[in-house]
Amino acid sequence: MIKTDILIIGAGPTGLFAVFEAGLLQLKCHLIDALPQAGGQCSEIYPKKPIYDIPGYPEVLAGDLVDNLMEQIKPFQPGFTLGERAETIEKLDDGTFIVTTNKGTKHHAPIVAIAGGLGSFEPRKPLLENLGKYEDNGVAYMIKEPEIYRGKKVLIAGGGDSALDWSIFLADVADEVTLVHRRNEFRGALDSVEKVQQLKNEGKINLITPAEIVALKGEDHLEKVTVKNTSTSEETDVEVDNFIPLFGLSPKLGPISDWGLEIEKNAIKVDNTYDYQTNIPGIYAIGDVNTYPGKLKLILCGFHEATLMCQSAYQKIFPDKKYVMKYTTVGGVTGFDGSKKEAPKAVVKAID
């Protein structure tokens, strides 16, 4: 059985930063995530997309943000159970918890922090015959590594930010990019819509609207898609190497929804914004997975919530101790690996 001070369910940015804040309090953390690597959606869905609202970073790729967080928490030696889903939770008589994964791995901790983002998520798939045949053979529902599309003919379907952003990005990577949307209007950011229009005028993007994909063709690998103009009902075959339908994700809490937590619209309600504790003492919810009045689903808000959660967790674990917060500029950062980061000490020298 794996034992730790704080068991974090979800290894996205919020869960990773919680490790750092817990480490400053000399609390050990272990993380569980159903994905095979740390980073959550930032690693799984859009590692190469830039993020613009992280303090101190005018622009940072999602994957690079995860790499930086992993480097930041390295001195605190967190444990990871990856590729396994938190399945059941049991509260013991002493108030601690045992969380068991779908593969039977047991974890024991006095504090459980759920940082599962949007929960487990599945792409919304178009209703097309033989779609499964071409999955991983020309059809993908997310872009992890843009370089695999270099020199290829790529068709993207969708009308939101993801479809627009990836069409713009791949215009400089793929040999040919076609964007298909069932309406003439897009739901994405105005500057992205304008950029797509500009690239269309420059001949770098083929834009087909209003239209939808009605058929996929090819032997072992996707070779063509049939595009139907929804105004005229005219159908045209387009040669492609890759078809990427970006219709969004369907988030689900999964087994966590059966843990007795108070749920509201697929999110976990927290009792207050003082420490983001749930209706079950000792279980917290931080990041996109929680909800409360005024909630904003932003990474930077998750960082704030993780910080306050760790302070509350310390008081629960050590009710007789009083923690006096020290700024890292004053106290430095002492890792469990024996490392020490601190500002140089001022030299006091008498003047003759």
Side-chain angles (χ1 to χ4, degrees), residues 22 136 164 178 205 238 248 320:
D136 297 324
L164 292 166
T178 301
I205 288 180
V238 179
D320 299 327

Side-chain angles (χ1 to χ4, degrees), residues 53-70:
D53 59 356
I54 302 298
Y57 287 96
E59 177 180 341
V60 61
L61 295 181
D64 290 344
L65 175 63
V66 172
D67 290 342
N68 290 339
L69 286 165
M70 291 293 286

Side-chain angles (χ1 to χ4, degrees), residues 131-318:
L131 179 66
K133 172 184 176 181
Y134 299 108
E135 290 177 346
D136 297 324
N137 289 304
V139 173
Y141 304 106
M142 57 186 70
I143 298 175
K144 299 179 184 178
E145 183 47 66
E147 276 300 313
I148 68 174
Y149 300 105
R150 185 166 296 278
K152 301 294 182 63
K153 295 180 179 180
V154 180
L155 187 146
I156 295 175
D161 284 315
S162 292
L164 292 166
D165 292 346
W166 280 119
S167 295
I168 294 169
F169 189 95
L170 292 179
D172 292 326
V173 176
D175 183 58
E176 183 178 298
V177 175
T178 301
L179 176 59
V180 176
H181 183 40
R182 59 182 177 175
R183 298 188 181 92
N184 290 318
E185 300 80 19
F186 289 87
R187 303 184 309 275
L190 179 59
D191 58 339
S192 297
V193 176
E194 292 176 344
K195 181 65 174 177
V196 166
Q197 183 64 51
Q198 177 186 340
L199 291 171
K200 176 198 172 186
N201 295 340
E202 295 173 358
K204 295 183 177 181
I205 288 180
N206 301 319
L207 184 61
I208 305 177
T209 62
E212 60 184 353
I213 309 303
V214 294
L216 306 177
K217 300 178 180 179
E219 293 297 326
D220 297 327
H221 193 281
L222 182 66
E223 298 173 7
K224 297 179 181 179
V225 300
T226 302
V227 181
K228 178 180 179 180
N229 185 302
T230 55
S231 293
T232 64
S233 296
E234 180 183 357
E235 295 186 1
T236 305
D237 282 348
V238 179
E239 291 188 2
V240 299
D241 298 302
N242 301 91
F243 169 45
I244 309 171
L246 297 175
F247 299 143
L249 300 170
S250 178
K252 297 178 180 178
L253 282 176
I256 291 175
S257 61
D258 298 323
W259 287 7
L261 300 165
E262 193 173 356
I263 308 296
E264 181 180 289
K265 295 181 179 178
N266 207 45
I268 301 171
K269 287 187 67 175
V270 292
D271 289 346
N272 56 69
T273 56
Y274 169 74
D275 59 7
Y276 305 98
Q277 194 164 195
T278 68
N279 59 302
I280 301 177
I283 300 181
Y284 299 77
I286 54 177
D288 287 356
V289 77
N290 75 14
T291 185
Y292 53 85
K295 170 68 179 182
L296 292 177
K297 292 183 181 294
L298 297 172
I299 293 176
L300 63 92
C301 293
F303 291 165
H304 165 79
E305 294 166 11
T307 304
L308 296 188
M309 178 277 294
C310 288
Q311 295 287 327
S312 176
Y314 181 89
Q315 294 300 321
K316 279 190 170 295
I317 296 173
F318 302 111

